[in-house]
């Protein structure tokens, strides 16, 4: 069956450290993968998209990797700050049409001062 | 631009009642989506639309209906509300010729008792 999995346990790290979140998927062949941030009581906000032919993508303190052989994406936040505390969702297209996404359950990140 | 707006923010329904969740976007996006988010379950696609007059079912359409008479509006109708429809509902949109980034509304928290 098709699955997209993120660690359901919260990730607690200290300010200044690098946070690494994992997204694994099964029985999908996505052309791209996206990462979103969701704060409590709010809708998800798009962060990054990485395509199947890209190994790595960076945006400011964010870095995403995409390994289509391992069927895994890693999301890194370097020099983390308490303001980075949120839930991070990965998403990939359900099939080839109309950009219908399937989302992981998200990983909550808590950055302590 | 206001982006994607949703009304109401909160609603309590009794079992068997009906209601419409409103969604409007002012970005001239052609694709629009309705998701529900349950605790620990991730976002699930209910319905989507690729343009005015065109809608289709997503992963969990039962108990819901949609219409798309204009590019801007994509209301979600709940008929005969059931406790299983207690959830947070998010509307999202993208421009199909763009970056695949989905823009989400702030959500509607619905409780059916």
């Amino acid at each position: 069956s098709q699955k997209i999995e993120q660690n359901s346990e919260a990730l607690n790290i200290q300010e200044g450290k690098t946070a690494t979140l994992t997204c694994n998927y099964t029985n999908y062949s996505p052309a791209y993968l996206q990462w979103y941030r969701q704060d409590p009581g709010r809708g998800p906000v798009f962060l990054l998209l990485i395509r199947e032919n890209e190994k790595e993508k960076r945006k400011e303190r964010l870095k995403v990797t995409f390994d289509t052989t391992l069927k895994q994406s890693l999301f890194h936040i370097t020099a983390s700050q308490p303001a980075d505390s949120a839930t991070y969702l990965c998403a990939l297209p359900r099939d080839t049409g109309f950009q219908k996404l399937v989302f992981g359950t998200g990983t909550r990140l808590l950055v302590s001062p | 631009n206001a982006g994607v707006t949703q009304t109401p923010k909160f609603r309590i329904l009794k079992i068997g009642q009906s209601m419409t969740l409103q969604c409007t976007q002012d970005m001239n996006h052609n694709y629009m989506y309705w998701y529900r988010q349950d605790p620990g379950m991730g976002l699930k696609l209910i319905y989507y639309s690729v343009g005015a007059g065109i809608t289709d079912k997503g992963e969990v359409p039962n108990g819901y209906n949609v219409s798309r008479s204009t590019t801007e509006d994509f209301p979600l109708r709940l008929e005969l509300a059931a406790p299983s429809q207690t959830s947070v509902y998010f509307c999202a949109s993208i421009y199909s010729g763009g970056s695949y980034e989905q823009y989400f509304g702030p959500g509607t928290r619905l409780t059916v008792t």
Side-chain angles (χ1 to χ4, degrees):
Chain A
S1 63
Q2 292 177 314
K3 287 184 189 176
I4 177 169
E5 295 178 310
Q6 296 183 255
N7 193 342
S8 58
E9 289 183 18
L11 178 63
N12 289 278
I13 65 168
Q14 264 196 312
E15 184 174 8
K17 302 291 186 186
T18 296
T20 299
L21 285 67
T22 304
C23 177
N24 295 298
Y25 59 91
T26 310
N27 291 329
Y28 287 104
S29 297
Y32 60 86
L33 188 143
Q34 297 183 356
W35 284 88
Y36 289 79
R37 169 182 172 141
Q38 187 173 24
D39 291 288
R42 295 181 175 264
V45 174
F46 172 83
L47 296 174
L48 281 167
L49 178 151
I50 186 166
R51 298 184 186 277
E52 61 180 337
N53 61 349
E54 297 175 313
K55 295 287 188 201
E56 181 180 298
K57 198 83 168 274
R58 292 176 185 261
K59 179 182 175 184
E60 297 172 354
R61 294 184 296 111
L62 308 181
K63 184 179 87 171
V64 172
T65 63
F66 192 13
D67 188 326
T68 55
T69 301
L70 289 179
K71 296 187 182 298
Q72 181 181 78
S73 176
L74 299 178
F75 177 81
H76 307 273
I77 306 176
T78 58
S80 59
Q81 304 166 359
D84 295 326
S85 298
T87 296
Y88 292 87
L89 311 172
C90 67
L92 49 82
R94 180 180 306 278
D95 50 44
T96 56
F98 307 129
Q99 317 313 334
K100 302 188 298 293
L101 294 179
V102 59
F103 282 83
T105 53
T107 298
R108 189 172 174 207
L109 174 65
L110 298 169
V111 182
S112 53
Chain B
N1 286 349
V4 180
T5 57
Q6 292 182 239
T7 56
K9 290 192 189 307
F10 304 94
R11 183 75 185 266
I12 299 174
L13 278 183
K14 293 191 185 302
I15 294 171
Q17 287 184 323
S18 300
M19 76 165 293
T20 299
L21 282 66
Q22 302 291 346
C23 174
T24 300
Q25 54 88 11
D26 63 357
M27 298 173 283
N28 203 31
H29 286 173
N30 47 349
Y31 288 10
M32 295 186 75
Y33 309 84
W34 273 106
Y35 296 91
R36 60 177 287 171
Q37 186 175 38
D38 301 310
M41 295 295 291
L43 288 151
K44 302 289 186 188
L45 182 64
I46 306 171
Y47 269 95
Y48 68 99
S49 169
V50 300
I54 307 170
T55 63
D56 206 348
K57 296 177 181 178
E59 190 181 0
V60 288
N62 291 345
Y64 307 95
N65 275 302
V66 294
S67 59
R68 183 103 180 264
S69 56
T70 66
T71 299
E72 294 78 21
D73 299 305
F74 188 39
L76 178 72
R77 177 85 177 158
L78 277 71
E79 306 280 4
L80 298 175
S84 61
Q85 293 178 305
T86 293
S87 189
V88 181
Y89 292 84
F90 290 101
C91 178
S93 71
I94 68 169
Y95 173 60
S96 64
S99 66
Y100 304 159
E101 167 186 349
Q102 291 201 6
Y103 292 79
F104 283 82
T108 294
R109 182 175 294 274
L110 175 68
T111 302
V112 182
T113 62

